[in-house]
Amino acid sequence: RISNDKMIEEQALHIISQLNPDEKELYLLYYWKHKKLKDIAIELNVTQDTIRKRHEKLKKKLNFKIKNYENL
């Protein structure tokens, strides 16, 4: 039987695998490497406003996918 932690990890990896390359990059930089949006904007050579908007869109997408995971 799969443990709850293993199941959550598999679901998370499945959801992340569905992100486009730009979303994956932002996800990794922000949530895994714990970089600030300001620093990510500099690294990706875009404005802070652009990164802020991308991050908001990413959060909405992730929340939707998490809530609707059973239907994926």
Side-chain angles (χ1 to χ4, degrees), residues 21-57:
D22 288 340
E23 292 168 333
K24 282 181 192 173
E25 183 174 37
L26 178 55
Y27 179 88
L28 292 172
L29 291 171
Y30 187 80
Y31 292 103
W32 282 38
K33 294 187 177 181
H34 306 288
K35 293 190 175 194
K36 295 179 181 178
L37 293 178
K38 177 177 113 176
D39 297 328
I40 295 170
I42 293 167
E43 185 172 330
L44 300 181
N45 198 31
V46 295
T47 66
Q48 287 183 29
D49 192 49
T50 296
I51 285 297
R52 183 186 55 76
K53 288 176 185 173
R54 286 183 190 172
H55 182 245
E56 285 300 316
K57 185 177 175 185

